[in-house]
Amino acid sequence: DKVRTWMDERTHSSPVSLRRALASDDWLTAPSLATVGVGIRQSEADAMYGLSQPAESIDRFISHSWSAPRLAKWWALCDMLHRHFAVVTALVIASAFSLSSLAYRFCSGAPIPYHAATDVLVPYVVLSGCLAMGPPSRGCSCFLDKLCVHQTDEDLKRRAIQCVDQAIIRSKRLTILWSNDDFERLWCIFEVATFVSTHGDKDALKGSVEVLPLWLPPSLSRLFLCNIVIAMCSATIMASPFFATLCSKAGPNVGIGFFWVFSCTLPAAYMCRLLRSKAEAATDAYSYLSTFRLDSTRVTVEGDRAIVYACITARFGSPESFEAFVRKDLLDSIRRRIGNPYSFPYQWVTFICLPFAFWAYVDALSTSAEGIVAQGYSCDA
């Protein structure tokens, strides 16, 4: 009665293992998999299946659509598991730069060198590496079908598919790698509905269901990079004679205000686009779930439909009861996890504004009386 789970131990917590989990050796050249098992050799299937091992319980069940890009899935998992560690580490590095610069200023009495490129890029490189590699810890066990279901041995595959619902029941958390067609896939909607129906009350489910939009990490990274460029260009321009002349003619408040409004126009426009993408994806998902019908779902292998229907009947009583559960209980659960379609979470804003935090360290510490006067302010003290 044990299920096969991938034990994400220290030797398996690196991005290389995630790539092996989500793709074969053509990881980057074949971004999607239209048919289960296509392009996977027997030796590859054996190696992937060998990463799993019997376990009584599972920490995380990963639900995903096979048609979604595999790089996007890997990126979303890295972002979920490693973002906090990466941000803290990058801030520590930026603080170390600032403290060393402050020590240099106190010991030598000279102004702190203004190396904006170094002070912004080094924490960014550290953050990127930590996002990809993660902390050196054991991690957790998770059920990922490409590892826990043998992809070429038909007998092992059939037996594993028939007990997927047991793996869901034994899982403590559900991680949904949310793509545009995720809730339209029969396997995905069955996995999510089974987990929600077997894991306690609504308050308990709030922390045990994670929805990771696959479009979110690339969008946040683009905004992050955009703000890095803005921070570096701003540091260069504000230290130039041109900016001092602008402030002396237009006044420091007008000059600085105009400069920052102009430089932040592009990221603000992209943030509006990101918010629009979230709103459209959420409203489409809510609309589809509120009118859900089993005959509108899709499967990669049509033969799986009879297996899933049998599991639905055994667990929910009938297809009609399952549809009613999806339209009401599952919809309510997904609404709580996604939240307001038109809100921009605070943690998103904090992450994409980190480049300005990196730059602010050195900008504040390198302030001098000459620079203050050059921008049009008095420095009587």
Side-chain angles (χ1 to χ4, degrees):
D1 60 348
K2 296 183 178 181
V3 293
R4 300 281 292 188
T5 66
W6 173 43
M7 300 305 296
D8 186 9
E9 298 178 352
R10 181 172 181 176
T11 55
H12 296 149
S13 62
S14 70
V16 176
S17 294
L18 284 171
R19 291 193 186 99
R20 292 176 65 186
L22 299 175
S24 55
D25 58 355
D26 58 349
W27 165 257
L28 295 176
T29 58
S32 64
L33 192 63
T35 305
V36 177
V38 170
I40 301 179
R41 295 187 293 269
Q42 179 68 38
S43 58
E44 293 174 331
D46 291 339
M48 290 190 296
Y49 188 67
L51 293 175
S52 65
Q53 64 183 44
E56 293 289 349
S57 63
I58 308 170
D59 292 321
R60 178 178 278 110
F61 187 99
I62 299 178
S63 175
H64 66 102
S65 170
W66 279 66
S67 62
R70 285 168 282 176
L71 179 58
K73 300 175 190 176
W74 173 80
W75 202 340
L77 286 171
C78 286
D79 182 74
M80 176 194 69
L81 297 171
H82 306 153
R83 188 198 292 176
H84 178 76
F85 169 76
V87 169
V88 171
T89 304
L91 287 175
V92 169
I93 295 298
S95 301
F97 267 90
S98 300
L99 291 174
S100 62
S101 299
L102 191 62
Y104 170 82
R105 185 168 189 169
F106 278 123
C107 294
S108 66
I112 295 176
Y114 201 84
H115 300 307
T118 303
D119 293 294
V120 173
L121 284 179
V122 171
Y124 168 69
V125 172
V126 172
L127 185 142
S128 301
C130 291
L131 271 177
M133 302 300 296
S137 59
R138 286 180 56 86
C140 60
S141 63
C142 67
F143 185 96
L144 190 59
D145 51 8
K146 198 160 190 179
L147 291 175
C148 302
V149 178
H150 203 292
Q151 299 302 311
T152 57
D153 188 308
E154 294 299 327
D155 181 58
L156 286 176
K157 182 191 297 185
R158 177 183 55 80
R159 285 189 288 167
I161 288 176
Q162 290 176 343
C163 67
V164 164
D165 59 335
Q166 294 301 315
I168 299 170
I169 295 171
R170 294 166 185 261
S171 300
K172 300 175 183 177
R173 308 185 74 173
L174 173 69
T175 299
I176 304 172
L177 302 181
W178 181 26
S179 57
N180 291 336
D181 67 338
D182 199 74
F183 296 118
E184 300 175 12
R185 311 295 298 188
L186 180 58
W187 270 116
C188 294
I189 198 71
F190 168 70
E191 292 165 355
V192 177
T194 300
F195 186 90
V196 171
S197 68
T198 57
H199 281 73
D201 56 30
K202 296 180 180 179
D203 293 333
L205 285 171
K206 186 176 181 180
S208 59
V209 178
E210 303 163 319
V211 181
L212 307 181
L214 296 186
W215 45 263
L216 179 59
S219 298
L220 293 183
S221 297
R222 294 187 192 103
L223 274 170
F224 192 93
L225 286 172
C226 181
N227 285 338
I228 282 181
V229 174
I230 290 174
M232 293 176 59
C233 292
S234 299
T236 303
I237 294 174
M238 294 180 72
S240 66
F242 164 78
F243 188 75
T245 303
L246 175 65
C247 289
S248 63
K249 291 183 178 180
N253 295 331
V254 174
I256 295 176
F258 174 79
F259 173 79
W260 280 110
V261 169
F262 178 78
S263 61
C264 291
T265 299
L266 180 60
Y270 194 85
M271 286 178 69
C272 292
R273 180 183 176 185
L274 177 59
L275 182 58
R276 179 179 178 179
S277 299
K278 180 196 174 187
E280 290 177 347
T283 52
D284 288 346
Y286 297 162
S287 175
Y288 179 80
L289 291 175
S290 64
T291 58
F292 175 78
R293 291 183 58 85
L294 270 173
D295 55 15
S296 66
T297 57
R298 292 178 290 158
V299 289
T300 303
V301 178
E302 192 59 36
D304 289 351
R305 188 176 293 274
I307 298 176
V308 179
Y309 276 28
C311 294
I312 287 174
T313 302
R315 183 150 302 278
F316 293 90
S318 67
E320 292 75 17
S321 300
F322 178 78
E323 291 176 345
F325 178 85
V326 170
R327 293 170 190 164
K328 179 63 173 65
D329 298 82
L330 182 57
L331 176 59
D332 291 342
S333 179
I334 296 299
R335 281 185 188 275
R336 287 194 299 273
R337 298 313 304 145
I338 297 178
N340 187 344
Y342 306 101
S343 66
F344 205 92
Y346 177 77
Q347 61 177 346
W348 296 8
V349 180
T350 303
F351 179 77
I352 62 181
C353 290
L354 278 177
F356 297 117
F358 300 154
W359 171 56
Y361 281 117
V362 68
D363 183 65
L365 293 175
S366 62
T367 301
S368 62
E370 293 79 5
I372 294 174
V373 173
Q375 291 187 10
Y377 291 98
S378 62
C379 192
D380 297 333

